[in-house]
Amino acid sequence: QVQLVESGGGLVQAGDSLRLSCAASGRTLSSYHMAWFRQAPGKEREFVAAISWSGTTTKYADSVKGRFTISRDNAKKTVYLQMNSLKPEDTAVYYCAADRYDGTYNLQTRVYDYWGQGTQVTVSS
């Protein structure tokens, strides 16, 4: 099992950048697929980005392609989400998620077992 804590959210203007961090404890992040999800008020949680346990495969929602970049540093037990060219539509609580590698790479559709508490990102127009 792994415990996740997100940080780095805040209030920014459209066009600005933020970098979210997800720090893990309890176990190494090695062998865990990692992902970012977000949930806006009144909306269901949606997939944002994911990175495989090895870092060799990434997946992005169409809405963030070209603007967001997911990365990981297993030595620091941390996953990052670099968010550039932020839009008001990106406003949401962002959640970090983890799931132990089971031989599959269905990064977007898999059910993630471990979740952080979320960090608020607000983008003003």
Side-chain angles (χ1 to χ4, degrees):
Q1 296 185 345
V2 62
Q3 296 79 48
L4 308 173
V5 178
E6 304 95 333
S7 63
L11 174 62
V12 299
Q13 294 184 339
D16 286 351
S17 297
L18 281 174
R19 188 179 74 163
L20 304 184
S21 297
C22 174
S25 63
R27 293 185 181 181
T28 177
L29 281 186
S30 298
S31 79
Y32 283 84
H33 295 318
M34 302 296 298
W36 288 95
F37 290 76
R38 66 187 182 187
Q39 186 169 24
K43 301 296 183 71
E44 294 187 355
R45 185 172 298 180
E46 66 172 336
F47 172 83
V48 176
I51 186 167
S52 64
W53 69 273
S54 64
T56 60
T57 303
T58 57
K59 182 73 173 181
Y60 296 94
D62 290 341
S63 60
V64 306
K65 286 182 179 178
R67 299 189 298 121
F68 291 10
T69 302
I70 188 171
S71 61
R72 66 191 299 160
D73 186 338
N74 287 343
K76 295 183 178 180
K77 301 175 66 175
T78 302
V79 177
Y80 304 96
L81 184 67
Q82 178 66 45
M83 305 185 296
N84 298 328
S85 301
L86 283 163
K87 305 175 181 179
E89 307 90 86
D90 297 318
T91 296
V93 177
Y94 283 71
Y95 297 91
C96 180
D99 195 42
R100 191 174 184 87
Y101 174 58
D102 60 357
T104 67
Y105 287 86
N106 54 330
L107 300 180
Q108 183 173 356
T109 61
R110 71 190 302 110
V111 176
Y112 288 84
D113 288 335
Y114 308 103
W115 295 81
Q117 82 291 342
T119 185
Q120 177 71 48
V121 173
T122 302
V123 184
S124 66
S125 59

